[in-house]
């Protein structure tokens, strides 16, 4: 029987986001979950681990994730490692009887994600995939509107995630640019979020009608020392090839007849880190941009020839908005706050002994299946069916 102390495995920028989420939520659940506390930060880079532990108040650090899973005090684990380590550590944590929340993507391919799903079903603990964009109040409100039939039958959807982090050729080479360690590039790294949001809002994807991949920066220099996240560091004179996509676009066919346009780019100059959603139905349309996080927009068909969009500002009635420190009309939502909502949902599931359904391991598997089909369509220049494993 494991304890209820918390460990974050991976002390990079996403590990820090998880630490923030736990720090915000821990007092709310300490009476419901006995022994809940911030115990260990684990990272092979001891300096990073020590800095994160000091910043957020963890008791200790570790360099070996296996030692973390062997600690009887620890029962709650966030896995914030590079993509190629997600499956191995998640499977080990489930086998050790831990509650586990794993960063996206759940695995490098759907076959491995299916193994994780099977293991999660056999475990008695709570497990989840990190899909934090579902918890943006505006996005969650749009999902409820769509599900209620407010905009009618869905006709088409545009979902795109555009980021600029890799546009600079002087950014150092890392695991993110190697297909055997990162999987597909922009498709898996940020496209996973866009795919999950598309499925969250519009339902299951049954076919990829076509896809195009582009590598725009084909060589990058290795860092001269340690690097973290997307930071610039001193470069060595040795370079390596980039062998996964910088840009991926695709046409999606949903099971309900809706068609979708998908884009993931890590070299989108001027876009920073932006998620854009626009969905049209037979009775109306909704749209959202993470660049204007204080509202979403909705239009109802009125026969005028150009039905106007109305702004719906964040307000305490929207999903998750009540968790904000200032849940007032029009208050913007920060990226870190959405991680806080996610961690609170995870801890609530643990406290109440029920499964995580919003961003489950099954959601991670379904996203992997769509991503595999997009990559297949790009590789073969042919349509690809989305192959669903039995749930």
């Amino acid at each position: 029987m494991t304890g209820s102390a918390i460990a974050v495995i991976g002390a990079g920028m996403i590990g820090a986001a998880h630490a923030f989420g736990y720090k915000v939520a821990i007092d709310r659940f300490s009476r419901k979950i006995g022994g809940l506390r911030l115990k260990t930060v684990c990272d092979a880079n001891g300096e990073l681990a020590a800095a994160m532990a000091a910043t957020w108040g963890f008791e200790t650090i570790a360099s070996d994730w296996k030692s973390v899973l062997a600690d009887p005090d620890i029962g709650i684990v966030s896995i914030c490692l590079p993509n190629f380590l997600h499956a191995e550590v998640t499977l080990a944590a489930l086998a050790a009887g831990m509650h586990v929340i794993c960063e996206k993507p759940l695995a490098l391919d759907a076959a491995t994600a299916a193994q994780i799903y099977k293991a999660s079903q056999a475990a008695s603990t709570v497990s989840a995939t990190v899909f934090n964009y579902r918890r943006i109040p505006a996005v969650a409100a749009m999902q409820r509107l769509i599900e209620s039939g407010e905009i009618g039958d869905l006709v088409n959807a545009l979902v795109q995630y555009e980021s600029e982090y890799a546009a600079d050729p002087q950014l150092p080479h890392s695991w993110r640019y190697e297909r055997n360690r990162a999987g597909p590039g922009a498709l898996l790294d940020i496209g996973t979020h866009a795919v999950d949001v598309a499925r969250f809002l519009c339902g299951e994807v049954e076919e990829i009608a076509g896809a195009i991949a582009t590598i725009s920066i084909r060589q990058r220099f290795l860092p001269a020392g340690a690097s973290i996240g997307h930071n610039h560091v001193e470069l060595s004179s040795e370079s390596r090839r980039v062998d996964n996509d910088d840009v991926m676009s695709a046409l999606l066919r949903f099971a309900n007849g809706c068609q979708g346009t998908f884009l993931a780019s890590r070299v989108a100059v001027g876009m920073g880190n932006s998620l854009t959603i626009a969905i049209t139905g037979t009775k109306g349309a909704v749209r959202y941009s993470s660049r204007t996080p204080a509202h979403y927009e909705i239009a109802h068909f009125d026969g005028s020839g150009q039905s106007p969009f109305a702004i719906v500002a964040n307000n305490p009635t929207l999903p998750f908005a009540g968790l904000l420190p200032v849940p007032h009309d029009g208050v913007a939502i920060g990226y870190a706050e959405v991680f806080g909502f996610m961690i609170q949902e995870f801890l609530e599931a643990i406290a109440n002994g029920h499964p995580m359904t919003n961003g489950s391991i099954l959601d991670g598997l379904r996203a992997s299946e769509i991503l595999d089909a997009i990559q297949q369509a790009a590789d073969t220049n042919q349509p690809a069916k989305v192959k669903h494993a039995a749930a």
Side-chain angles (χ1 to χ4, degrees), residues 3-9 15 18-27 29-30 33-42 52 57-61 68 71-79 98-99 101 343 346-347 350:
S4 299
I6 297 163
V8 175
I9 303 178
H18 282 245
F20 167 85
Y22 286 118
K23 192 73 172 180
V24 169
I26 197 166
D27 287 341
F29 292 94
S30 59
I33 304 173
L36 187 67
R37 68 189 198 277
L38 301 176
K39 175 76 185 288
T40 303
V41 176
C42 178
M52 188 170 126
F58 287 80
E59 296 173 9
T60 187
I61 65 171
V68 174
D71 185 341
D73 284 346
I74 293 172
I76 299 170
V77 177
S78 276
I79 297 171
M98 305 278 182
H99 301 291
I101 185 164
I343 293 297
F346 180 51
L347 293 178
I350 294 170

Short mmCIF file of all heavy atoms in Angstrom, two decimals, residues 3-9 15 18-27 29-30 33-42 52 57-61 68 71-79 98-99 101 343 346-347 350:
data_model
loop_
_atom_site.label_atom_id
_atom_site.label_comp_id
_atom_site.label_asym_id
_atom_site.label_seq_id
_atom_site.Cartn_x
_atom_site.Cartn_y
_atom_site.Cartn_z
N GLY A 3 1.71 5.45 0.03
CA GLY A 3 1.23 6.60 0.77
C GLY A 3 0.52 7.58 -0.13
O GLY A 3 0.05 7.23 -1.22
N SER A 4 0.48 8.85 0.30
CA SER A 4 -0.22 9.88 -0.47
C SER A 4 0.65 11.10 -0.75
O SER A 4 0.14 12.15 -1.14
CB SER A 4 -1.49 10.32 0.28
OG SER A 4 -2.37 9.25 0.44
N ALA A 5 1.95 10.95 -0.58
CA ALA A 5 2.85 12.04 -0.90
C ALA A 5 2.97 12.17 -2.42
O ALA A 5 2.74 11.21 -3.17
CB ALA A 5 4.22 11.82 -0.27
N ILE A 6 3.35 13.36 -2.87
CA ILE A 6 3.38 13.70 -4.29
C ILE A 6 4.81 13.75 -4.80
O ILE A 6 5.69 14.30 -4.14
CB ILE A 6 2.70 15.06 -4.52
CG1 ILE A 6 1.22 15.00 -4.12
CG2 ILE A 6 2.85 15.51 -5.97
CD1 ILE A 6 0.60 16.37 -3.93
N ALA A 7 5.01 13.19 -5.99
CA ALA A 7 6.29 13.32 -6.69
C ALA A 7 6.04 13.83 -8.09
O ALA A 7 5.08 13.43 -8.75
CB ALA A 7 7.01 11.98 -6.75
N VAL A 8 6.91 14.72 -8.54
CA VAL A 8 6.91 15.17 -9.93
C VAL A 8 8.19 14.66 -10.56
O VAL A 8 9.29 14.98 -10.09
CB VAL A 8 6.82 16.70 -10.04
CG1 VAL A 8 6.95 17.13 -11.51
CG2 VAL A 8 5.51 17.21 -9.46
N ILE A 9 8.05 13.83 -11.59
CA ILE A 9 9.21 13.26 -12.27
C ILE A 9 9.45 14.05 -13.55
O ILE A 9 8.69 13.97 -14.51
CB ILE A 9 8.98 11.76 -12.58
CG1 ILE A 9 8.69 11.00 -11.28
CG2 ILE A 9 10.21 11.17 -13.27
CD1 ILE A 9 8.40 9.52 -11.48
N GLY A 15 7.13 20.27 -15.70
CA GLY A 15 7.17 19.80 -14.32
C GLY A 15 6.86 20.94 -13.35
O GLY A 15 6.14 20.75 -12.36
N HIS A 18 3.15 21.55 -13.21
CA HIS A 18 2.48 20.58 -12.33
C HIS A 18 2.70 20.96 -10.87
O HIS A 18 1.78 20.88 -10.05
CB HIS A 18 3.02 19.17 -12.59
CG HIS A 18 2.45 18.52 -13.82
ND1 HIS A 18 1.66 17.40 -13.77
CD2 HIS A 18 2.55 18.87 -15.12
CE1 HIS A 18 1.31 17.06 -15.00
NE2 HIS A 18 1.85 17.94 -15.84
N ALA A 19 3.93 21.36 -10.54
CA ALA A 19 4.22 21.76 -9.17
C ALA A 19 3.33 22.93 -8.75
O ALA A 19 2.80 22.95 -7.63
CB ALA A 19 5.70 22.14 -9.04
N PHE A 20 3.16 23.89 -9.64
CA PHE A 20 2.26 25.02 -9.37
C PHE A 20 0.86 24.51 -9.10
O PHE A 20 0.19 24.95 -8.15
CB PHE A 20 2.26 25.97 -10.55
CG PHE A 20 1.15 26.99 -10.50
CD1 PHE A 20 1.30 28.18 -9.79
CD2 PHE A 20 -0.06 26.76 -11.16
CE1 PHE A 20 0.27 29.11 -9.74
CE2 PHE A 20 -1.09 27.68 -11.10
CZ PHE A 20 -0.93 28.86 -10.39
N GLY A 21 0.38 23.58 -9.95
CA GLY A 21 -0.97 23.06 -9.78
C GLY A 21 -1.17 22.39 -8.44
O GLY A 21 -2.19 22.61 -7.75
N TYR A 22 -0.20 21.58 -8.01
CA TYR A 22 -0.29 20.93 -6.70
C TYR A 22 -0.24 21.96 -5.57
O TYR A 22 -0.96 21.85 -4.58
CB TYR A 22 0.84 19.92 -6.52
CG TYR A 22 0.68 18.65 -7.33
CD1 TYR A 22 1.61 18.30 -8.31
CD2 TYR A 22 -0.40 17.80 -7.10
CE1 TYR A 22 1.46 17.13 -9.04
CE2 TYR A 22 -0.56 16.62 -7.83
CZ TYR A 22 0.38 16.30 -8.80
OH TYR A 22 0.23 15.15 -9.53
N LYS A 23 0.63 22.95 -5.71
CA LYS A 23 0.77 23.96 -4.66
C LYS A 23 -0.54 24.70 -4.43
O LYS A 23 -0.93 24.98 -3.29
CB LYS A 23 1.88 24.95 -5.05
CG LYS A 23 2.32 25.88 -3.93
CD LYS A 23 3.14 25.13 -2.89
CE LYS A 23 3.76 26.06 -1.88
NZ LYS A 23 4.57 25.36 -0.87
N VAL A 24 -1.24 25.00 -5.52
CA VAL A 24 -2.51 25.71 -5.44
C VAL A 24 -3.59 24.83 -4.82
O VAL A 24 -4.43 25.30 -4.04
CB VAL A 24 -2.95 26.18 -6.84
CG1 VAL A 24 -4.39 26.68 -6.83
CG2 VAL A 24 -2.02 27.28 -7.35
N ALA A 25 -3.57 23.54 -5.14
CA ALA A 25 -4.68 22.65 -4.78
C ALA A 25 -4.50 21.90 -3.47
O ALA A 25 -5.48 21.42 -2.89
CB ALA A 25 -4.89 21.63 -5.91
N ILE A 26 -3.29 21.80 -2.98
CA ILE A 26 -3.00 20.84 -1.92
C ILE A 26 -3.78 21.12 -0.63
O ILE A 26 -4.29 20.19 0.01
CB ILE A 26 -1.47 20.77 -1.67
CG1 ILE A 26 -1.13 19.49 -0.89
CG2 ILE A 26 -0.96 22.02 -0.98
CD1 ILE A 26 0.36 19.19 -0.91
N ASP A 27 -3.93 22.37 -0.27
CA ASP A 27 -4.65 22.68 0.97
C ASP A 27 -6.13 22.32 0.86
O ASP A 27 -6.76 21.95 1.85
CB ASP A 27 -4.50 24.15 1.32
CG ASP A 27 -3.10 24.49 1.82
OD1 ASP A 27 -2.39 23.56 2.22
OD2 ASP A 27 -2.72 25.67 1.79
N PHE A 29 -7.36 19.77 -0.52
CA PHE A 29 -7.59 18.33 -0.45
C PHE A 29 -6.86 17.64 0.70
O PHE A 29 -6.98 16.44 0.87
CB PHE A 29 -7.16 17.67 -1.78
CG PHE A 29 -8.04 18.04 -2.93
CD1 PHE A 29 -7.71 19.09 -3.77
CD2 PHE A 29 -9.22 17.35 -3.17
CE1 PHE A 29 -8.53 19.44 -4.83
CE2 PHE A 29 -10.05 17.69 -4.22
CZ PHE A 29 -9.71 18.74 -5.06
N SER A 30 -6.11 18.39 1.50
CA SER A 30 -5.31 17.76 2.54
C SER A 30 -6.17 17.05 3.59
O SER A 30 -5.74 16.06 4.20
CB SER A 30 -4.40 18.80 3.21
OG SER A 30 -5.17 19.84 3.78
N ILE A 33 -7.42 13.71 1.71
CA ILE A 33 -6.37 12.74 1.36
C ILE A 33 -5.30 12.81 2.44
O ILE A 33 -4.47 13.73 2.45
CB ILE A 33 -5.76 13.03 -0.02
CG1 ILE A 33 -6.86 13.08 -1.10
CG2 ILE A 33 -4.72 11.98 -0.39
CD1 ILE A 33 -6.37 13.53 -2.46
N GLY A 34 -5.30 11.87 3.35
CA GLY A 34 -4.34 11.87 4.44
C GLY A 34 -2.91 11.72 3.96
O GLY A 34 -2.63 10.92 3.07
N GLY A 35 -2.02 12.50 4.52
CA GLY A 35 -0.60 12.42 4.16
C GLY A 35 -0.23 13.15 2.88
O GLY A 35 0.90 13.03 2.40
N LEU A 36 -1.17 13.92 2.33
CA LEU A 36 -0.91 14.63 1.08
C LEU A 36 0.11 15.74 1.32
O LEU A 36 -0.09 16.63 2.14
CB LEU A 36 -2.22 15.22 0.56
CG LEU A 36 -2.20 15.86 -0.83
CD1 LEU A 36 -1.95 14.81 -1.90
CD2 LEU A 36 -3.51 16.59 -1.10
N ARG A 37 1.22 15.68 0.58
CA ARG A 37 2.25 16.71 0.71
C ARG A 37 3.19 16.62 -0.50
O ARG A 37 3.23 15.61 -1.20
CB ARG A 37 3.04 16.56 2.00
CG ARG A 37 3.91 15.33 2.08
CD ARG A 37 4.47 15.16 3.48
NE ARG A 37 5.62 14.26 3.54
CZ ARG A 37 5.53 12.94 3.61
NH1 ARG A 37 4.33 12.34 3.61
NH2 ARG A 37 6.63 12.20 3.68
N LEU A 38 3.96 17.68 -0.71
CA LEU A 38 4.93 17.71 -1.80
C LEU A 38 6.21 17.05 -1.32
O LEU A 38 6.94 17.60 -0.50
CB LEU A 38 5.21 19.16 -2.21
CG LEU A 38 3.99 19.97 -2.70
CD1 LEU A 38 4.39 21.40 -3.00
CD2 LEU A 38 3.38 19.32 -3.93
N LYS A 39 6.50 15.85 -1.84
CA LYS A 39 7.61 15.07 -1.31
C LYS A 39 8.87 15.18 -2.18
O LYS A 39 9.93 15.59 -1.70
CB LYS A 39 7.19 13.60 -1.19
CG LYS A 39 8.31 12.62 -0.76
CD LYS A 39 8.62 12.73 0.72
CE LYS A 39 9.80 11.85 1.12
NZ LYS A 39 9.50 10.42 1.13
N THR A 40 8.78 14.80 -3.47
CA THR A 40 10.01 14.61 -4.25
C THR A 40 9.91 15.21 -5.64
O THR A 40 8.90 15.06 -6.33
CB THR A 40 10.33 13.11 -4.39
OG1 THR A 40 10.43 12.53 -3.09
CG2 THR A 40 11.63 12.89 -5.14
N VAL A 41 10.98 15.88 -6.04
CA VAL A 41 11.20 16.26 -7.44
C VAL A 41 12.31 15.37 -7.97
O VAL A 41 13.38 15.27 -7.35
CB VAL A 41 11.62 17.73 -7.59
CG1 VAL A 41 11.93 18.04 -9.05
CG2 VAL A 41 10.55 18.66 -7.07
N CYS A 42 12.07 14.72 -9.10
CA CYS A 42 13.05 13.81 -9.67
C CYS A 42 13.49 14.30 -11.04
O CYS A 42 12.66 14.59 -11.91
CB CYS A 42 12.44 12.41 -9.79
SG CYS A 42 13.54 11.19 -10.55
N MET A 52 13.73 23.47 -8.50
CA MET A 52 12.28 23.33 -8.49
C MET A 52 11.78 22.98 -7.10
O MET A 52 10.74 23.47 -6.64
CB MET A 52 11.85 22.27 -9.51
CG MET A 52 10.34 22.21 -9.70
SD MET A 52 9.90 21.16 -11.10
CE MET A 52 8.77 20.03 -10.29
N GLY A 57 8.62 24.05 -2.72
CA GLY A 57 8.49 23.51 -1.37
C GLY A 57 8.45 22.00 -1.27
O GLY A 57 7.85 21.46 -0.33
N PHE A 58 9.10 21.29 -2.18
CA PHE A 58 9.22 19.83 -2.06
C PHE A 58 10.27 19.50 -1.02
O PHE A 58 11.24 20.24 -0.82
CB PHE A 58 9.61 19.21 -3.40
CG PHE A 58 8.50 19.19 -4.42
CD1 PHE A 58 8.19 20.32 -5.16
CD2 PHE A 58 7.76 18.03 -4.64
CE1 PHE A 58 7.17 20.31 -6.10
CE2 PHE A 58 6.74 18.00 -5.57
CZ PHE A 58 6.44 19.14 -6.31
N GLU A 59 10.10 18.35 -0.38
CA GLU A 59 10.99 17.97 0.72
C GLU A 59 12.36 17.49 0.25
O GLU A 59 13.37 17.71 0.92
CB GLU A 59 10.34 16.86 1.55
CG GLU A 59 9.06 17.28 2.25
CD GLU A 59 8.38 16.10 2.92
OE1 GLU A 59 8.98 15.00 2.98
OE2 GLU A 59 7.23 16.27 3.39
N THR A 60 12.39 16.80 -0.88
CA THR A 60 13.63 16.14 -1.29
C THR A 60 13.71 16.06 -2.81
O THR A 60 12.74 16.35 -3.52
CB THR A 60 13.70 14.73 -0.69
OG1 THR A 60 14.99 14.15 -0.96
CG2 THR A 60 12.61 13.83 -1.25
N ILE A 61 14.87 15.67 -3.30
CA ILE A 61 15.06 15.48 -4.74
C ILE A 61 15.61 14.07 -4.97
O ILE A 61 16.14 13.43 -4.06
CB ILE A 61 16.01 16.53 -5.36
CG1 ILE A 61 17.43 16.40 -4.79
CG2 ILE A 61 15.47 17.94 -5.14
CD1 ILE A 61 18.46 17.26 -5.51
N VAL A 68 11.98 6.73 -6.90
CA VAL A 68 10.76 7.44 -6.53
C VAL A 68 9.59 6.47 -6.43
O VAL A 68 8.81 6.50 -5.47
CB VAL A 68 10.44 8.55 -7.57
CG1 VAL A 68 9.09 9.20 -7.27
CG2 VAL A 68 11.54 9.60 -7.58
N ASP A 71 9.53 4.42 -3.25
CA ASP A 71 9.35 5.12 -1.98
C ASP A 71 7.93 4.84 -1.46
O ASP A 71 6.94 5.23 -2.09
CB ASP A 71 9.54 6.62 -2.20
CG ASP A 71 9.48 7.42 -0.91
OD1 ASP A 71 8.94 6.92 0.09
OD2 ASP A 71 9.96 8.57 -0.92
N PRO A 72 7.78 4.20 -0.30
CA PRO A 72 6.45 3.85 0.20
C PRO A 72 5.60 5.06 0.60
O PRO A 72 4.38 4.94 0.72
CB PRO A 72 6.75 2.98 1.42
CG PRO A 72 8.12 3.37 1.85
CD PRO A 72 8.85 3.71 0.59
N ASP A 73 6.24 6.20 0.80
CA ASP A 73 5.48 7.41 1.13
C ASP A 73 4.73 7.97 -0.08
O ASP A 73 3.72 8.66 0.07
CB ASP A 73 6.41 8.51 1.66
CG ASP A 73 6.86 8.27 3.08
OD1 ASP A 73 6.26 7.41 3.75
OD2 ASP A 73 7.83 8.92 3.50
N ILE A 74 5.27 7.73 -1.27
CA ILE A 74 4.75 8.37 -2.48
C ILE A 74 3.62 7.53 -3.09
O ILE A 74 3.78 6.33 -3.32
CB ILE A 74 5.87 8.61 -3.50
CG1 ILE A 74 6.85 9.65 -2.94
CG2 ILE A 74 5.32 9.07 -4.85
CD1 ILE A 74 8.09 9.85 -3.75
N GLY A 75 2.50 8.18 -3.36
CA GLY A 75 1.38 7.49 -3.99
C GLY A 75 0.79 8.24 -5.15
O GLY A 75 -0.08 7.73 -5.85
N ILE A 76 1.26 9.49 -5.39
CA ILE A 76 0.73 10.33 -6.46
C ILE A 76 1.91 10.84 -7.28
O ILE A 76 2.83 11.45 -6.74
CB ILE A 76 -0.07 11.52 -5.89
CG1 ILE A 76 -1.26 11.00 -5.07
CG2 ILE A 76 -0.54 12.44 -7.01
CD1 ILE A 76 -1.97 12.08 -4.27
N VAL A 77 1.87 10.57 -8.59
CA VAL A 77 3.02 10.88 -9.43
C VAL A 77 2.58 11.63 -10.69
O VAL A 77 1.64 11.23 -11.37
CB VAL A 77 3.75 9.59 -9.87
CG1 VAL A 77 4.91 9.91 -10.80
CG2 VAL A 77 4.25 8.82 -8.66
N SER A 78 3.27 12.72 -10.97
CA SER A 78 3.15 13.41 -12.26
C SER A 78 4.37 13.05 -13.10
O SER A 78 5.51 13.18 -12.65
CB SER A 78 3.11 14.93 -12.07
OG SER A 78 1.83 15.39 -11.77
N ILE A 79 4.10 12.62 -14.34
CA ILE A 79 5.19 12.23 -15.24
C ILE A 79 5.35 13.32 -16.28
O ILE A 79 4.49 13.52 -17.14
CB ILE A 79 4.90 10.86 -15.87
CG1 ILE A 79 4.85 9.80 -14.76
CG2 ILE A 79 5.95 10.51 -16.92
CD1 ILE A 79 4.37 8.45 -15.21
N MET A 98 0.57 3.34 -8.05
CA MET A 98 0.52 4.80 -7.90
C MET A 98 -0.70 5.37 -8.63
O MET A 98 -1.16 4.83 -9.63
CB MET A 98 1.78 5.43 -8.51
CG MET A 98 3.08 4.91 -7.97
SD MET A 98 3.47 5.72 -6.41
CE MET A 98 5.06 4.98 -6.02
N HIS A 99 -1.18 6.53 -8.15
CA HIS A 99 -2.06 7.39 -8.92
C HIS A 99 -1.16 8.16 -9.89
O HIS A 99 -0.15 8.75 -9.47
CB HIS A 99 -2.81 8.38 -8.03
CG HIS A 99 -3.66 7.72 -6.99
ND1 HIS A 99 -4.80 7.01 -7.31
CD2 HIS A 99 -3.55 7.68 -5.63
CE1 HIS A 99 -5.37 6.56 -6.20
NE2 HIS A 99 -4.62 6.94 -5.16
N ILE A 101 -0.63 10.80 -13.33
CA ILE A 101 -1.05 11.71 -14.38
C ILE A 101 0.16 11.92 -15.30
O ILE A 101 1.22 12.36 -14.85
CB ILE A 101 -1.61 13.03 -13.82
CG1 ILE A 101 -2.16 13.90 -14.95
CG2 ILE A 101 -0.62 13.77 -12.95
CD1 ILE A 101 -3.07 15.03 -14.47
N ILE A 343 -5.03 19.69 -12.05
CA ILE A 343 -4.54 19.00 -10.85
C ILE A 343 -5.66 18.88 -9.82
O ILE A 343 -5.80 17.85 -9.14
CB ILE A 343 -3.33 19.73 -10.26
CG1 ILE A 343 -2.12 19.65 -11.21
CG2 ILE A 343 -2.97 19.18 -8.89
CD1 ILE A 343 -1.60 18.25 -11.46
N PHE A 346 -7.79 16.01 -10.80
CA PHE A 346 -7.07 14.77 -10.54
C PHE A 346 -7.14 14.42 -9.05
O PHE A 346 -7.48 13.28 -8.68
CB PHE A 346 -5.62 14.95 -11.00
CG PHE A 346 -4.71 13.77 -10.79
CD1 PHE A 346 -5.05 12.50 -11.22
CD2 PHE A 346 -3.47 13.95 -10.18
CE1 PHE A 346 -4.19 11.42 -11.04
CE2 PHE A 346 -2.61 12.90 -9.99
CZ PHE A 346 -2.97 11.62 -10.43
N LEU A 347 -6.85 15.38 -8.18
CA LEU A 347 -6.90 15.12 -6.74
C LEU A 347 -8.32 14.84 -6.27
O LEU A 347 -8.54 14.03 -5.37
CB LEU A 347 -6.31 16.30 -5.98
CG LEU A 347 -4.80 16.53 -6.16
CD1 LEU A 347 -4.35 17.77 -5.39
CD2 LEU A 347 -3.99 15.32 -5.74
N ILE A 350 -9.02 11.25 -6.93
CA ILE A 350 -8.33 10.43 -5.93
C ILE A 350 -9.10 10.46 -4.60
O ILE A 350 -9.35 9.43 -3.97
CB ILE A 350 -6.88 10.90 -5.74
CG1 ILE A 350 -6.07 10.66 -7.02
CG2 ILE A 350 -6.23 10.19 -4.55
CD1 ILE A 350 -4.71 11.33 -7.02
#
